[in-house]
Amino acid sequence: MSLLKAELDAAEKESDRIALYKKTLDALKKYEEVATARKAAARGTELSTLKVKARRLEIEISLEQANIKETKESR
């Protein structure tokens, strides 16, 4: 998440930020699948699954906000 924040700060265009959010979202979805599988196999906890889900939801919200901002800028 620290790397994402640094990359977002360095991004010059909103479209670059959107690409970063999408890339991060894809990775978090995979992490969420792994966390869910670990919980199902009794090797992980519900807490770890929920933490990944919370981060994914944060990124989804940020992505939607960036999409709205880009739409407004393009008008």
Side-chain angles (χ1 to χ4, degrees):
M1 297 311 286
S2 296
L3 175 60
L4 172 64
K5 289 179 191 217
E7 289 177 328
L8 288 170
D9 289 341
E12 294 180 13
K13 296 185 287 182
E14 201 62 35
S15 60
D16 295 338
R17 289 181 190 90
I18 289 171
L20 288 167
Y21 284 130
K22 286 181 180 179
K23 177 181 156 189
T24 303
L25 189 56
D26 290 341
L28 286 172
K29 285 179 181 178
K30 290 178 186 174
Y31 286 133
E32 192 173 355
E33 288 174 9
V34 169
T36 302
R38 288 180 56 83
K39 181 185 172 278
R43 293 181 167 224
T45 64
E46 181 72 18
L47 178 61
S48 61
T49 304
L50 292 174
K51 283 182 178 181
V52 174
K53 184 175 184 174
R55 287 204 176 116
R56 178 184 56 80
L57 292 172
E58 284 177 29
I59 297 301
E60 285 182 355
I61 291 167
S62 297
L63 174 60
E64 288 303 316
Q65 290 171 337
N67 282 328
I68 291 168
K69 187 175 180 181
E70 184 182 45
T71 302
K72 286 181 180 179
E73 289 176 356
S74 66
R75 289 182 183 177

